[in-house]
Amino acid sequence: ARQDLIARRDGAAAGSAARTQADSAVARLTRSEQAFVQQLVPAQGRLLQLYNSFNGSGAQQGTLYPPTPPMRAAAREIRASIDRVKREVAVVSRP
């Protein structure tokens, strides 16, 4: 997305509406990337906790017990975070 936006920006005339629009899109993408990086460490921690709950003391090994409600809630929260970042990147990268 960044390469496409930069190519669009560089192909537009200086001071044109297309150039201004592309500059704005690059700035929004940069903000989305920074927000993603800031959320990455906590998200990695949550993913590790969820993984450990399936493979560690939170699960009975060798059984077919389904995920518990807290496990499902954690998975939904993680998925929602990922989906939010995908939507932000999709909106920013639109021409």
Side-chain angles (χ1 to χ4, degrees):
R2 179 173 292 286
Q3 290 174 346
D4 292 342
L5 290 171
I6 290 173
R8 192 175 344 141
R9 181 193 65 191
D10 293 346
S16 68
R19 177 82 179 224
T20 302
Q21 202 172 36
D23 277 337
S24 176
V26 169
R28 286 193 319 267
L29 180 60
T30 300
R31 286 191 302 274
S32 292
E33 288 171 342
Q34 289 170 343
F36 174 74
V37 169
Q38 289 174 347
Q39 295 173 6
L40 187 60
V41 173
Q44 286 175 325
R46 291 193 336 248
L47 281 170
L48 184 58
Q49 286 175 337
L50 183 61
Y51 173 81
N52 286 336
S53 68
F54 279 103
N55 294 302
S57 62
Q60 291 185 2
Q61 299 297 317
T63 67
L64 296 176
Y65 287 111
T68 65
M71 290 174 178
R72 290 177 190 265
R76 280 192 301 273
E77 289 174 18
I78 293 165
R79 173 56 63 191
S81 296
I82 292 169
D83 290 343
R84 186 172 41 257
V85 170
K86 285 181 178 179
R87 282 192 305 273
E88 288 174 9
V89 169
V91 166
V92 168
S93 61
R94 283 188 201 144

